[in-house]
């Protein structure tokens, strides 16, 4: 895998996070659990970004975010991941990152494995958000990678 590959996945992640947020904003009373799950997606993205950067995360893995705060955190996350990818040296994806989980356990993972975790974790929870939006009478936006590549409405690919 390459930094270019992860840039493409990051572009999808940004697009999909924005669509999940838009689905929730389109509802007069979005399901609280779906809002909480979006906060978790964004919080986890920030926690992993902070681990790569060797910093403490200013956002917990399960933050209580309103939709306006979610939009801000989403933008900050994307900017941070873009900086990380733009500064990766040759072999940087294999750089080991040692971190502690929220439970206090210490692990070491490569940047590549962390980025893979981030993009797959978000996909999992965006599916849960879509199911809750639909169950509450709303219309979820498709967030699948293939929909993004095919140019789904509102697709704003960076690359």
């Amino acid at each position: 895998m390459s930094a270019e590959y992860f840039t493409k996945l990051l572009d999808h992640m940004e697009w999909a996070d924005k669509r999940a947020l838009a689905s929730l904003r389109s509802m007069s009373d979005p399901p609280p659990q779906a809002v909480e799950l979006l906060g978790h997606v964004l919080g986890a993205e920030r926690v992993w970004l902070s681990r790569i950067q060797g910093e403490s995360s200013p956002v917990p893995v399960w933050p209580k975010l309103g939709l306006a705060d979610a939009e801000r955190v989403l933008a900050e996350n994307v900017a941070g991941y873009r900086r990380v990818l733009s500064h990766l040296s040759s072999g940087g994806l294999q750089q080991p990152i040692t971190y502690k989980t929220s439970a206090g356990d210490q692990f070491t993972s490569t940047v590549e494995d962390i980025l893979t975790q981030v993009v797959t974790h978000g996909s999992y929870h965006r599916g849960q958000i879509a199911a809750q939006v639909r169950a509450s009478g709303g219309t979820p936006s498709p967030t699948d990678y293939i929909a993004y590549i095919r140019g789904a409405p509102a697709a704003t690919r960076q690359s």
Side-chain angles (χ1 to χ4, degrees), residues 17 36-51 57-65 70 73-74 77 81 118 121:
D17 285 350
E36 183 177 330
L37 279 168
L38 180 61
H40 171 61
V41 167
L42 300 173
E45 289 173 7
R46 177 57 66 85
V47 167
W48 284 113
L49 175 62
S50 296
R51 289 172 177 164
S57 178
V59 178
V61 75
W62 282 97
K64 300 291 185 206
L65 298 177
V73 172
L74 190 162
N77 289 350
Y81 279 107
V118 170
H121 176 262

Side-chain angles (χ1 to χ4, degrees), residues 80-113:
Y81 279 107
R82 290 199 194 290
R83 279 191 304 277
V84 165
L85 289 173
S86 72
H87 292 96
L88 273 183
S89 61
S90 174
L93 288 171
Q94 297 311 310
Q95 176 185 348
I97 304 292
T98 300
Y99 57 91
K100 287 189 178 183
T101 65
S102 54
D105 298 322
Q106 184 169 304
F107 293 95
T108 300
S109 302
T110 64
V111 170
E112 178 179 65
D113 289 337

Side-chain angles (χ1 to χ4, degrees), residues 8-24 38 41-42 45 74 78 119 122-127 129 141-145 147-148 153-156:
K8 190 175 183 179
L9 293 179
L10 173 68
D11 291 345
H12 166 257
M13 183 181 82
E14 175 186 15
W15 174 83
D17 285 350
K18 286 180 177 179
R19 289 180 62 94
L21 176 61
S23 289
L24 294 171
L38 180 61
V41 167
L42 300 173
E45 289 173 7
L74 190 162
V78 170
V119 298
S123 292
Y124 172 75
H125 287 304
R126 284 189 297 271
I129 293 166
S141 296
T143 59
D144 286 347
Y145 179 78
Y148 167 72
T156 55

